[in-house]
Amino acid sequence: MQILDFNHISQIFVNSLELVVVFATICAALEFTVPAYRYSLASYARGVRNWLIRLGLGAFIWHFFAVGLAWLGVKPLVTINFATLLHSDNAIVSSGLAVLSGVLVAIAGDFFYYWMHRAQHAVPFLWRLHATHHSIRELTAWNCNHHISEPLVYAALVALPLALIHFESGVVPIVAMTLITFQAHLSHSSTRINLGPLRYIIGDNKFHRIHHSMEAHHRHRNYGFFTTIWDTIFLTAYWPKKNEWPEVGMRNQPEPLTVRDYIMFPFDRRRWRKPKVGNAVEARD
C-alpha cells in the first residue's frame, strides 16, 4: 500500500459517505414523521456540511492508519472466531447464528469504545475535542458530528486494540459496518421511534439521549456506543423513564455554527477561559 494513495483515500471517503447519506436520511424521515423535537432545517444543513468535512479528513487518517499497521507489520495477537463457535448445518439456523455472531463481535469491540468514551470525559484535552459533539443542542441523525480530530483518538484507543485482538464473525465486514452505522445515527436521532425492550442489549436514541442531557443527574451515564451491556456491568447505565426526553447540549458552550467554529472549537481560548469567581456557569462534563 502506497504512503499516499488517493484512490484508496477516495474509496474510504465514498464508502463512508454512502452509509451516512442512506442512514442519516432514513432517520431524518423518522424525525419529521414521528418527532421528539422539531429542529431547524439550518441544523440539518450544518450537519451535512460538517459530515463532508469530517469524512474527508477522516479518510486520510484511516488511510495512514492502515499504512502504519502494514509498515509496522501489526498482526492480531489473538483471534476469537465466533463464526466457528456458532455454526449449524441448517441454513436458516446458520443465518441466525451469523447475525448473532456479528452482534457478539460488535459487543466485544464496544468494550474498547466504552473505555475510550469514559477517557474522553475524564481527560481534559480529550474532553475539549469531544465537547464539540456534546455542545450540539439541535441533535439529530444528520447533525451529530464529532470533531475532525476524533478519528485519531478512535484509531489509538479502539482500532489499534482491535487490530491486536481480532474478532471474527463470519459476516461480511461491510454488513457489520452497515448495521453499526445505522445504529449510530438512530442513537442520535430526534424521533420517538426507538428499540423498546431491546434497549437492554442494544443502545438506542432514548438511551443515548441521556448521555447528552443537560440535567445534572444524567452526568457520567450511558457511555456505550453499540451496546448497553458495558454500562450495566460498570454501573453507568441510566434507564430513561417512559416520557423522559431531556434537552441536550452544554450550558456554557454554544453549538458551533460556522466552519471555523466547528474546526477550532477545542482550541478557541475564549470558549475555555475560566469564568470569574461568582459568575461561573456550570459545565457539562
Side-chain angles (χ1 to χ4, degrees), residues 40-94:
S40 67
L41 292 177
S43 69
Y44 287 89
R46 286 196 302 275
V48 173
R49 178 199 68 196
N50 292 347
W51 269 114
L52 290 172
I53 295 170
R54 181 172 182 253
L55 293 177
L57 293 176
F60 281 88
I61 292 172
W62 290 116
H63 168 73
F64 288 124
F65 178 76
V67 169
L69 292 183
W71 183 68
L72 293 172
V74 175
K75 294 181 180 179
L77 300 176
V78 178
T79 296
I80 300 175
N81 194 326
F82 288 108
T84 300
L85 297 173
L86 302 171
H87 65 278
S88 172
D89 294 330
N90 183 289
I92 297 177
V93 174
S94 180

Side-chain angles (χ1 to χ4, degrees), residues 130-145:
H130 188 56
T132 310
H133 178 61
H134 273 276
S135 70
I136 298 172
R137 296 188 180 181
E138 296 189 76
L139 186 66
T140 65
W142 265 112
N143 192 30
C144 60
N145 306 97

Side-chain angles (χ1 to χ4, degrees), residues 15-207:
N15 291 343
S16 301
L17 183 61
E18 286 176 347
L19 291 176
V20 169
V21 169
V22 170
F23 292 123
T25 302
I26 290 173
C27 289
L30 295 176
E31 291 168 352
F32 286 113
T33 306
V34 191
Y37 281 109
R38 288 194 181 275
Y39 291 131
S40 67
L41 292 177
S43 69
Y44 287 89
R46 286 196 302 275
V48 173
R49 178 199 68 196
N50 292 347
W51 269 114
L52 290 172
I53 295 170
R54 181 172 182 253
L55 293 177
L57 293 176
F60 281 88
I61 292 172
W62 290 116
H63 168 73
F64 288 124
F65 178 76
V67 169
L69 292 183
W71 183 68
L72 293 172
V74 175
K75 294 181 180 179
L77 300 176
V78 178
T79 296
I80 300 175
N81 194 326
F82 288 108
T84 300
L85 297 173
L86 302 171
H87 65 278
S88 172
D89 294 330
N90 183 289
I92 297 177
V93 174
S94 180
S95 298
L97 291 176
V99 173
L100 176 59
S101 67
V103 170
L104 290 175
V105 167
I107 290 174
D110 205 46
F111 174 83
F112 297 98
Y113 179 89
Y114 174 88
W115 286 106
M116 177 206 71
H117 198 176
R118 290 192 66 166
Q120 288 179 307
H121 283 256
V123 179
F125 176 69
L126 295 181
W127 166 244
R128 287 193 182 190
L129 303 179
H130 188 56
T132 310
H133 178 61
H134 273 276
S135 70
I136 298 172
R137 296 188 180 181
E138 296 189 76
L139 186 66
T140 65
W142 265 112
N143 192 30
C144 60
N145 306 97
H146 291 75
H147 191 257
I148 58 174
S149 62
E150 287 210 26
L152 293 171
V153 182
Y154 299 161
L157 301 182
V158 178
L160 182 57
L162 289 177
L164 298 175
I165 305 174
H166 179 65
F167 296 95
E168 178 60 58
S169 68
V171 178
V172 178
I174 191 63
V175 174
M177 278 304 301
T178 298
L179 294 174
I180 291 172
T181 302
F182 174 67
Q183 192 264 352
H185 286 287
L186 179 64
S187 291
H188 293 98
S189 184
S190 180
T191 175
R192 293 282 179 187
I193 302 296
N194 56 69
L195 298 182
L198 189 58
R199 184 181 307 121
Y200 290 96
I201 299 175
I202 307 298
D204 67 355
N205 49 342
K206 195 168 183 180
F207 183 84

